[in-house]
Protein backbone atom coordinates (compact mmCIF):
# COMPACT_ATOMS: atom_id res chain seq x y z
CA UNK A 1 0.00 0.00 0.00
CA UNK A 2 1.23 3.49 -0.81
CA UNK A 3 2.86 5.38 2.07
CA UNK A 4 0.32 8.22 1.97
CA UNK A 5 -2.30 5.88 3.42
CA UNK A 6 -0.24 5.21 6.57
CA UNK A 7 -1.17 7.35 9.59
CA UNK A 8 1.43 9.90 10.70
CA UNK A 9 1.53 8.35 14.17
CA UNK A 10 3.20 5.28 12.68
CA UNK A 11 6.32 7.36 12.00
CA UNK A 12 6.79 7.59 15.76
CA UNK A 13 6.94 3.86 16.38
CA UNK A 14 9.32 1.03 15.47
CA UNK A 15 8.68 -2.71 15.30
CA UNK A 16 9.35 -4.50 18.60
CA UNK A 17 13.07 -5.46 18.63
CA UNK A 18 12.23 -8.75 20.32
CA UNK A 19 9.79 -9.58 17.53
CA UNK A 20 12.40 -8.60 14.94
CA UNK A 21 15.07 -10.89 16.38
CA UNK A 22 12.56 -13.75 16.65
CA UNK A 23 11.62 -13.28 12.99
CA UNK A 24 15.34 -13.24 12.07
CA UNK A 25 15.89 -16.50 13.94
CA UNK A 26 12.91 -18.17 12.25
CA UNK A 27 14.11 -17.08 8.81
CA UNK A 28 17.61 -18.43 9.46
CA UNK A 29 16.23 -21.69 10.84
CA UNK A 30 14.00 -22.11 7.79
CA UNK A 31 17.17 -21.78 5.69
CA UNK A 32 18.68 -24.72 7.57
CA UNK A 33 20.89 -22.71 9.95
CA UNK A 34 21.03 -23.93 13.54
CA UNK A 35 20.42 -20.71 15.48
CA UNK A 36 20.07 -20.63 19.26
CA UNK A 37 17.72 -17.89 20.37
CA UNK A 38 18.79 -16.07 23.54
CA UNK A 39 16.86 -12.99 22.52
CA UNK A 40 13.32 -13.96 23.47
CA UNK A 41 11.83 -13.43 26.94
CA UNK A 42 10.05 -16.74 27.26
CA UNK A 43 10.47 -19.65 29.66
CA UNK A 44 11.02 -23.04 28.07
CA UNK A 45 9.05 -24.72 30.88
CA UNK A 46 5.65 -26.14 30.00
CA UNK A 47 2.52 -24.60 31.48
CA UNK A 48 1.83 -26.62 34.65
CA UNK A 49 -0.52 -29.54 34.05
CA UNK A 50 -3.37 -28.45 36.39
CA UNK A 51 -3.54 -25.09 34.62
CA UNK A 52 -3.63 -26.75 31.21
CA UNK A 53 -6.33 -29.11 32.44
CA UNK A 54 -8.46 -26.18 33.60
CA UNK A 55 -8.34 -24.83 30.05
CA UNK A 56 -9.26 -28.22 28.62
CA UNK A 57 -12.13 -28.55 31.09
CA UNK A 58 -13.42 -25.12 30.04
CA UNK A 59 -13.55 -26.28 26.43
CA UNK A 60 -15.29 -29.51 27.35
CA UNK A 61 -18.03 -27.80 29.36
CA UNK A 62 -18.62 -25.22 26.63
CA UNK A 63 -17.04 -22.13 28.17
CA UNK A 64 -16.23 -20.84 24.71
CA UNK A 65 -18.49 -17.79 24.48
CA UNK A 66 -18.04 -14.08 25.09
CA UNK A 67 -17.45 -13.05 28.68
CA UNK A 68 -17.63 -9.68 30.37
CA UNK A 69 -15.14 -7.37 28.66
CA UNK A 70 -12.99 -6.96 31.77
CA UNK A 71 -13.04 -10.63 32.76
CA UNK A 72 -15.33 -13.20 34.34
CA UNK A 73 -16.50 -12.87 37.92
CA UNK A 74 -14.49 -15.97 38.81
CA UNK A 75 -11.30 -14.53 37.36
CA UNK A 76 -11.82 -11.17 39.06
CA UNK A 77 -12.29 -12.93 42.40
CA UNK A 78 -9.07 -14.87 41.78
CA UNK A 79 -7.16 -11.68 40.91
CA UNK A 80 -8.54 -9.88 43.97
CA UNK A 81 -7.48 -12.83 46.12
CA UNK A 82 -4.00 -12.86 44.60
CA UNK A 83 -3.45 -9.13 45.20
CA UNK A 84 -4.64 -9.38 48.80
CA UNK A 85 -2.77 -12.59 49.63
CA UNK A 86 0.56 -11.80 48.00
CA UNK A 87 0.71 -8.00 47.90
CA UNK A 88 -1.50 -6.77 50.72
CA UNK A 89 -3.63 -4.82 48.23
CA UNK A 90 -7.42 -4.78 48.60
CA UNK A 91 -9.43 -4.12 45.44
CA UNK A 92 -13.11 -4.16 44.53
CA UNK A 93 -14.29 -5.88 41.30
CA UNK A 94 -14.69 -2.51 39.56
CA UNK A 95 -10.99 -1.84 40.23
CA UNK A 96 -9.86 -4.99 38.39
CA UNK A 97 -9.44 -5.72 34.68
CA UNK A 98 -8.13 -8.71 32.75
CA UNK A 99 -6.84 -8.35 29.21
CA UNK A 100 -5.01 -10.10 26.39
CA UNK A 101 -1.67 -9.89 28.15
CA UNK A 102 -0.12 -7.26 30.42
CA UNK A 103 1.13 -5.50 27.30
CA UNK A 104 -2.39 -4.72 26.13
CA UNK A 105 -3.36 -3.34 29.52
CA UNK A 106 -0.35 -1.02 29.63
CA UNK A 107 -1.15 0.22 26.14
CA UNK A 108 -4.81 0.78 27.08
CA UNK A 109 -3.80 2.73 30.19
CA UNK A 110 -1.62 5.08 28.15
CA UNK A 111 -4.18 5.47 25.39
CA UNK A 112 -6.86 6.29 27.95
CA UNK A 113 -4.86 8.96 29.77
CA UNK A 114 -2.26 10.59 27.53
CA UNK A 115 -2.81 13.61 25.33
CA UNK A 116 -0.36 15.18 22.90
CA UNK A 117 2.69 16.45 24.75
CA UNK A 118 2.05 14.61 28.02
CA UNK A 119 5.20 13.09 29.45
CA UNK A 120 5.93 9.61 30.76
CA UNK A 121 9.06 9.01 32.84
CA UNK A 122 10.76 5.85 31.61
CA UNK A 123 13.81 4.71 33.60
CA UNK A 124 16.44 3.15 31.35
CA UNK A 125 17.22 0.35 30.74
CA UNK A 126 13.55 -0.26 29.94
CA UNK A 127 11.39 -2.90 28.32
CA UNK A 128 11.58 -2.18 24.62
CA UNK A 129 7.85 -1.48 24.16
CA UNK A 130 7.36 1.28 26.73
CA UNK A 131 8.56 4.28 24.66
CA UNK A 132 6.72 3.12 21.55
CA UNK A 133 3.44 2.61 23.38
CA UNK A 134 3.79 6.11 24.81
CA UNK A 135 4.47 7.45 21.32
CA UNK A 136 1.40 5.72 19.86
CA UNK A 137 -0.69 7.40 22.56
CA UNK A 138 0.82 10.75 21.42
CA UNK A 139 2.80 11.14 24.63
CA UNK A 140 6.49 11.92 25.07
CA UNK A 141 8.79 9.40 26.72
CA UNK A 142 11.16 11.12 29.16
CA UNK A 143 14.06 8.69 29.40
CA UNK A 144 15.94 8.78 32.71
CA UNK A 145 19.22 6.81 32.50
CA UNK A 146 19.98 4.56 35.47
CA UNK A 147 23.55 3.44 35.96
CA UNK A 148 25.09 0.04 36.40
CA UNK A 149 26.72 1.45 39.56
CA UNK A 150 23.27 2.19 41.06
CA UNK A 151 22.11 -1.35 40.37
CA UNK A 152 20.15 -0.09 37.36
CA UNK A 153 17.55 1.51 39.65
CA UNK A 154 15.93 4.92 39.51
CA UNK A 155 17.10 7.19 42.32
CA UNK A 156 14.84 9.64 44.14
CA UNK A 157 16.91 12.64 43.02
CA UNK A 158 16.74 11.54 39.40
CA UNK A 159 12.97 11.09 39.64
CA UNK A 160 12.47 14.53 41.22
CA UNK A 161 14.56 16.16 38.51
CA UNK A 162 12.57 14.49 35.73
CA UNK A 163 9.09 15.50 36.96
CA UNK A 164 7.52 18.47 35.17
CA UNK A 165 3.99 19.91 35.11
CA UNK A 166 3.44 17.77 31.97
CA UNK A 167 4.42 14.50 33.64
CA UNK A 168 1.48 12.08 33.66
CA UNK A 169 3.08 8.71 34.39
CA UNK A 170 6.10 7.07 35.93
CA UNK A 171 6.85 3.48 34.86
CA UNK A 172 8.41 1.18 37.44
CA UNK A 173 9.36 -2.33 36.36
CA UNK A 174 10.59 -4.63 39.13
CA UNK A 175 12.07 -7.17 38.65
CA UNK A 176 13.35 -5.34 35.62
CA UNK A 177 13.60 -6.41 32.01
CA UNK A 178 16.40 -6.37 30.81
CA UNK A 179 18.62 -6.05 33.91
CA UNK A 180 16.89 -8.23 36.50
CA UNK A 181 17.10 -5.38 39.04
CA UNK A 182 14.68 -5.64 41.98
CA UNK A 183 13.65 -2.60 44.03
CA UNK A 184 13.83 -2.99 47.80
CA UNK A 185 11.27 -1.62 50.24
CA UNK A 186 13.59 1.23 51.16
CA UNK A 187 14.24 2.17 47.54
CA UNK A 188 10.51 2.26 46.79
CA UNK A 189 9.86 4.33 49.91
CA UNK A 190 12.38 6.92 48.69
CA UNK A 191 10.62 7.14 45.32
CA UNK A 192 7.22 7.26 46.99
CA UNK A 193 8.30 10.26 49.07
CA UNK A 194 8.92 12.17 45.85
CA UNK A 195 5.68 11.03 44.21
CA UNK A 196 3.46 12.01 47.15
CA UNK A 197 4.35 15.63 46.37
CA UNK A 198 3.63 15.26 42.64
CA UNK A 199 -0.16 14.75 42.46
CA UNK A 200 -0.25 15.00 38.66
CA UNK A 201 1.82 11.81 38.27
CA UNK A 202 0.26 8.37 37.89
CA UNK A 203 2.41 5.31 38.57
CA UNK A 204 2.45 2.20 36.42
CA UNK A 205 3.94 -0.65 38.42
CA UNK A 206 4.82 -3.45 36.00
CA UNK A 207 5.23 -6.52 38.22
CA UNK A 208 5.18 -9.16 35.48
CA UNK A 209 8.41 -10.82 36.76
CA UNK A 210 7.24 -10.82 40.40
CA UNK A 211 7.75 -14.56 40.88
CA UNK A 212 11.06 -14.70 39.02
CA UNK A 213 13.31 -13.65 41.92
CA UNK A 214 16.35 -15.43 43.36
CA UNK A 215 16.77 -13.57 46.65
CA UNK A 216 15.05 -14.25 49.96
CA UNK A 217 13.81 -10.68 50.42
CA UNK A 218 10.00 -10.47 50.07
CA UNK A 219 8.63 -8.84 46.95
CA UNK A 220 7.14 -5.38 47.41
CA UNK A 221 5.18 -3.19 45.02
CA UNK A 222 4.67 0.55 45.22
CA UNK A 223 0.95 0.64 46.06
CA UNK A 224 1.52 -1.49 49.16
CA UNK A 225 4.47 0.68 50.24
CA UNK A 226 2.60 3.99 50.19
CA UNK A 227 -1.22 3.87 50.58
CA UNK A 228 -1.45 7.56 49.65
CA UNK A 229 -0.40 6.61 46.11
CA UNK A 230 -2.92 3.79 45.74
CA UNK A 231 -5.50 6.03 44.03
CA UNK A 232 -3.10 6.85 41.19
CA UNK A 233 -1.21 3.59 40.85
CA UNK A 234 -1.98 0.92 38.26
CA UNK A 235 -0.45 -2.39 39.34
CA UNK A 236 -0.03 -4.61 36.28
CA UNK A 237 0.79 -8.31 36.31
CA UNK A 238 0.10 -11.42 34.27
CA UNK A 239 0.69 -15.12 33.81
CA UNK A 240 3.18 -15.10 30.94
CA UNK A 241 6.39 -15.15 32.98
CA UNK A 242 5.59 -16.63 36.38
CA UNK A 243 3.39 -19.40 34.99
CA UNK A 244 4.98 -19.96 31.56
CA UNK A 245 1.75 -18.98 29.81
CA UNK A 246 2.96 -16.56 27.13
CA UNK A 247 0.69 -18.00 24.45
CA UNK A 248 -2.40 -17.96 26.67
CA UNK A 249 -2.37 -14.12 26.55
CA UNK A 250 -3.69 -13.21 29.99
CA UNK A 251 -2.72 -10.11 31.92
CA UNK A 252 -4.47 -8.33 34.76
CA UNK A 253 -4.34 -5.04 36.60
CA UNK A 254 -5.66 -3.33 39.69
CA UNK A 255 -6.16 0.41 39.94
CA UNK A 256 -8.60 3.27 40.57
CA UNK A 257 -12.08 2.58 39.25
CA UNK A 258 -12.10 5.64 36.95
CA UNK A 259 -9.00 4.38 35.14
CA UNK A 260 -10.17 0.78 34.98
CA UNK A 261 -13.49 2.00 33.53
CA UNK A 262 -11.71 3.96 30.80
CA UNK A 263 -9.48 0.98 29.98
CA UNK A 264 -12.57 -1.24 29.80
CA UNK A 265 -14.22 1.11 27.29
CA UNK A 266 -11.11 0.95 25.08
CA UNK A 267 -11.01 -2.81 25.40
CA UNK A 268 -14.69 -3.09 24.47
CA UNK A 269 -13.92 -1.35 21.18
CA UNK A 270 -10.73 -3.28 20.38
CA UNK A 271 -10.07 -6.81 21.60
CA UNK A 272 -13.15 -7.21 23.81
CA UNK A 273 -12.72 -9.92 26.46
CA UNK A 274 -9.62 -12.09 26.72
CA UNK A 275 -10.07 -15.73 25.72
CA UNK A 276 -12.69 -17.45 27.88
CA UNK A 277 -10.56 -20.60 27.90
CA UNK A 278 -7.46 -18.73 29.04
CA UNK A 279 -9.48 -17.03 31.75
CA UNK A 280 -10.54 -20.40 33.16
CA UNK A 281 -6.92 -21.53 33.17
CA UNK A 282 -5.93 -18.27 34.89
CA UNK A 283 -8.41 -18.92 37.71
CA UNK A 284 -6.66 -22.22 38.39
CA UNK A 285 -3.24 -20.55 38.25
CA UNK A 286 -4.15 -17.79 40.69
CA UNK A 287 -6.05 -19.91 43.21
CA UNK A 288 -3.75 -22.94 43.50
CA UNK A 289 -0.38 -22.82 45.32
CA UNK A 290 2.42 -22.48 42.75
CA UNK A 291 4.50 -25.34 44.12
CA UNK A 292 6.46 -25.50 40.86
CA UNK A 293 8.13 -22.11 41.43
CA UNK A 294 10.83 -23.49 43.72
CA UNK A 295 11.96 -26.01 41.11
CA UNK A 296 11.80 -23.47 38.30
CA UNK A 297 13.89 -20.94 40.21
CA UNK A 298 16.47 -23.58 41.11
CA UNK A 299 16.84 -24.52 37.45
CA UNK A 300 16.98 -20.88 36.38
CA UNK A 301 19.65 -20.13 38.97
CA UNK A 302 21.78 -22.95 37.53
CA UNK A 303 21.34 -21.53 34.04
CA UNK A 304 22.17 -18.04 35.25
CA UNK A 305 25.40 -19.46 36.68
CA UNK A 306 26.28 -20.95 33.27
CA UNK A 307 25.90 -17.56 31.58
CA UNK A 308 27.76 -15.70 34.31
CA UNK A 309 30.63 -18.19 34.07
CA UNK A 310 30.85 -17.63 30.32
CA UNK A 311 30.79 -13.86 30.69
CA UNK A 312 33.54 -14.01 33.32
CA UNK A 313 35.71 -16.13 31.03
CA UNK A 314 35.56 -13.75 28.05
CA UNK A 315 37.87 -10.70 28.12
CA UNK A 316 35.79 -7.67 27.17
CA UNK A 317 32.52 -8.89 28.72
CA UNK A 318 31.30 -8.26 32.26
CA UNK A 319 28.02 -8.43 34.18
CA UNK A 320 26.64 -8.12 37.68
CA UNK A 321 24.64 -11.06 39.02
CA UNK A 322 20.96 -10.27 38.28
CA UNK A 323 18.64 -10.93 41.25
CA UNK A 324 15.46 -11.24 39.20
CA UNK A 325 13.87 -12.10 35.83
CA UNK A 326 15.83 -14.48 33.56
CA UNK A 327 18.29 -12.25 31.76
CA UNK A 328 21.94 -11.31 32.08
CA UNK A 329 22.61 -7.73 30.92
CA UNK A 330 26.26 -7.94 29.90
CA UNK A 331 28.56 -4.99 29.34
CA UNK A 332 30.30 -5.42 25.97
CA UNK A 333 32.34 -2.20 25.93
CA UNK A 334 35.50 -4.28 25.63
CA UNK A 335 34.31 -5.72 22.32
CA UNK A 336 33.95 -2.38 20.60
CA UNK A 337 36.74 -1.41 18.26
CA UNK A 338 37.65 -5.03 17.61
CA UNK A 339 37.64 -6.51 14.11
CA UNK A 340 35.71 -9.60 13.03
CA UNK A 341 37.32 -12.43 11.03
CA UNK A 342 35.64 -10.88 7.99
CA UNK A 343 37.38 -7.56 8.67
CA UNK A 344 34.45 -5.55 9.99
CA UNK A 345 35.06 -3.25 12.96
CA UNK A 346 32.49 -3.51 15.77
CA UNK A 347 31.44 0.05 16.56
CA UNK A 348 28.34 -0.55 18.68
CA UNK A 349 26.44 -3.13 20.70
CA UNK A 350 24.18 -3.54 17.66
CA UNK A 351 27.26 -4.52 15.62
CA UNK A 352 28.27 -6.98 18.34
CA UNK A 353 24.81 -8.57 18.52
CA UNK A 354 24.73 -8.83 14.72
CA UNK A 355 28.17 -10.48 14.77
CA UNK A 356 26.99 -13.08 17.27
CA UNK A 357 23.91 -14.03 15.26
CA UNK A 358 25.81 -14.08 11.93
CA UNK A 359 29.00 -15.81 13.06
CA UNK A 360 28.08 -17.72 16.23
CA UNK A 361 24.45 -18.31 15.23
CA UNK A 362 23.36 -17.12 18.67
CA UNK A 363 20.68 -14.44 18.89
CA UNK A 364 20.86 -11.84 21.67
CA UNK A 365 19.44 -8.32 21.92
CA UNK A 366 21.55 -5.17 21.86
CA UNK A 367 21.34 -2.90 24.87
CA UNK A 368 20.50 0.11 22.72
CA UNK A 369 17.06 -1.45 22.18
CA UNK A 370 16.54 -1.05 25.92
CA UNK A 371 17.97 2.46 26.09
CA UNK A 372 21.42 1.49 27.41
CA UNK A 373 24.65 0.98 25.46
CA UNK A 374 26.95 -0.84 25.10
CA UNK A 375 25.31 -3.98 26.47
CA UNK A 376 23.65 -7.16 25.28
CA UNK A 377 20.73 -8.95 26.91
CA UNK A 378 21.18 -12.69 27.20
CA UNK A 379 17.95 -14.60 27.95
CA UNK A 380 18.87 -17.86 29.67
CA UNK A 381 15.43 -19.50 30.02
CA UNK A 382 16.16 -22.20 27.45
CA UNK A 383 17.09 -25.89 27.50
CA UNK A 384 20.22 -26.54 29.58
CA UNK A 385 22.16 -28.27 26.82
CA UNK A 386 21.34 -25.62 24.24
CA UNK A 387 22.25 -22.85 26.68
CA UNK A 388 25.63 -24.44 27.32
CA UNK A 389 26.19 -24.74 23.57
CA UNK A 390 25.17 -21.13 23.02
CA UNK A 391 27.63 -19.94 25.66
CA UNK A 392 30.42 -21.94 24.06
CA UNK A 393 29.59 -20.42 20.67
CA UNK A 394 29.61 -16.88 22.12
CA UNK A 395 32.95 -17.48 23.79
CA UNK A 396 34.49 -18.89 20.60
CA UNK A 397 33.16 -15.97 18.55
CA UNK A 398 34.49 -13.42 21.02
CA UNK A 399 37.93 -15.00 21.10
CA UNK A 400 38.02 -14.87 17.29
CA UNK A 401 37.83 -11.05 17.34
CA UNK A 402 41.05 -9.15 16.76
Amino acid sequence: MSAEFIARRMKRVRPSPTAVISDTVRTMQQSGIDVINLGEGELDFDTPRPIKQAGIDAIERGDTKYTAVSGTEALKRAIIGKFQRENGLVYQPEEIIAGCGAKQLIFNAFLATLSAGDEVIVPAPYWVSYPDMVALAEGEACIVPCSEQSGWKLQAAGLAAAITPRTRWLILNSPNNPTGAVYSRGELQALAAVLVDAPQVMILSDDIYEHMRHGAEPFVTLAQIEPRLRGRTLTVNGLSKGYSMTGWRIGYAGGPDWLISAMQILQSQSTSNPSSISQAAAVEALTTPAVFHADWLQRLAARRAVVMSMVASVPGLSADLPPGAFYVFANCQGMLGKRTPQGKVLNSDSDFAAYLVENAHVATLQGSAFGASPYIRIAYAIDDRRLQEACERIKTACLALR
Side-chain angles (χ1 to χ4, degrees):
M1 183 178 288
S2 182
E4 65 260 26
F5 289 100
I6 303 298
R8 285 193 299 273
R9 74 176 68 91
M10 294 304 297
K11 295 180 180 179
R12 305 186 69 197
V13 67
R14 59 181 177 165
S16 166
T18 48
V20 170
I21 194 63
S22 295
D23 288 343
T24 299
V25 169
R26 291 187 192 97
T27 299
M28 293 176 71
Q29 289 173 337
Q30 289 167 2
S31 300
I33 301 171
D34 178 28
V35 184
I36 302 176
N37 191 358
L38 303 184
E40 201 164 52
E42 183 172 51
L43 290 167
D44 66 315
F45 306 141
D46 195 11
T47 302
R49 181 173 294 277
I51 299 174
K52 291 194 296 184
Q53 188 60 52
I56 294 168
D57 291 344
I59 295 172
E60 294 292 348
R61 66 174 174 262
D63 287 352
T64 56
K65 307 298 183 184
Y66 291 129
T67 74
V69 168
S70 57
T72 63
E73 289 186 16
L75 179 54
K76 285 193 173 187
R77 286 196 302 270
I79 295 168
I80 289 170
K82 184 271 176 211
F83 274 132
Q84 185 166 10
R85 183 176 64 253
E86 297 187 0
N87 308 114
L89 296 173
V90 179
Y91 291 108
Q92 299 303 313
E94 62 271 19
E95 298 175 307
I96 295 292
I97 187 170
C100 303
K103 190 173 192 176
Q104 183 211 357
L105 296 175
I106 295 170
F107 181 78
N108 285 354
F110 290 156
L111 199 61
T113 57
L114 292 176
S115 299
D118 287 345
E119 297 171 357
V120 177
I121 296 174
V122 185
Y126 47 72
W127 178 44
V128 295
S129 291
Y130 292 145
D132 293 283
M133 288 194 286
V134 170
L136 278 170
E138 299 188 353
E140 302 293 335
C142 175
I143 308 300
V144 180
C146 302
S147 70
E148 191 171 0
Q149 292 69 33
S150 70
W152 297 119
K153 300 173 195 177
L154 179 65
Q155 305 297 298
L159 170 61
I163 293 174
T164 76
R166 298 292 299 172
T167 304
R168 292 294 172 264
W169 284 96
L170 162 68
I171 300 175
L172 282 178
N173 175 214
S174 174
N176 175 262
N177 173 11
T179 67
V182 180
Y183 284 84
S184 69
R185 177 177 291 272
E187 289 163 340
L188 288 178
Q189 286 172 334
L191 296 176
V194 175
L195 292 163
V196 164
D197 294 328
Q200 79 277 21
V201 182
M202 295 279 295
I203 303 99
L204 192 148
S205 184
D206 183 352
D207 299 352
I208 192 71
Y209 291 93
E210 173 183 359
H211 296 115
M212 300 290 99
R213 293 174 295 108
H214 298 289
E217 188 175 351
F219 176 79
V220 284
T221 190
L222 193 68
Q224 88 188 89
I225 290 291
E226 178 48 84
R228 287 177 292 176
L229 296 177
R230 185 187 180 283
R232 48 190 170 101
T233 300
L234 183 70
T235 303
V236 179
N237 212 317
L239 304 179
S240 292
K241 311 302 180 180
Y243 294 84
S244 198
M245 294 175 66
T246 46
W248 295 78
R249 306 312 304 140
I250 287 286
Y252 58 89
D257 56 2
W258 63 266
L259 175 59
I260 298 298
S261 175
M263 293 167 63
Q264 181 175 327
I265 290 171
L266 277 175
Q267 193 158 296
S268 74
Q269 298 292 2
S270 56
T271 61
S272 192
N273 62 273
S275 161
S276 59
I277 299 158
S278 297
Q279 289 189 66
V283 171
E284 174 69 20
L286 294 175
T287 57
T288 304
V291 294
F292 50 87
H293 277 154
D295 174 62
W296 285 11
L297 288 169
Q298 184 178 26
R299 293 165 67 183
L300 287 171
R303 293 172 178 179
R304 180 183 60 168
V306 169
V307 176
M308 291 299 294
S309 176
M310 179 274 292
V311 169
S313 71
V314 176
L317 290 182
S318 64
D320 292 326
L321 187 70
F326 36 79
Y327 312 107
V328 169
F329 201 55
N331 188 320
C332 61
Q333 177 68 53
M335 296 297 167
L336 305 191
K338 293 189 176 183
R339 194 177 297 274
T340 72
Q342 293 78 29
K344 180 180 178 180
V345 176
L346 302 180
N347 293 313
S348 67
D349 52 10
S350 296
D351 288 347
F352 181 53
Y355 168 68
L356 291 180
V357 76
E358 292 165 6
N359 287 57
H361 297 158
V362 176
T364 61
L365 268 179
Q366 65 274 16
S368 55
F370 303 95
S373 297
Y375 294 85
I376 58 168
R377 190 193 75 172
I378 302 170
Y380 55 80
I382 70 166
D383 173 78
D384 294 11
R385 182 186 62 81
R386 293 289 278 172
L387 179 64
Q388 186 70 55
E389 183 179 352
C391 287
E392 291 169 0
R393 291 186 189 184
I394 291 174
K395 183 175 180 177
T396 299
C398 289
L399 295 178
L401 294 169
R402 303 191 301 277

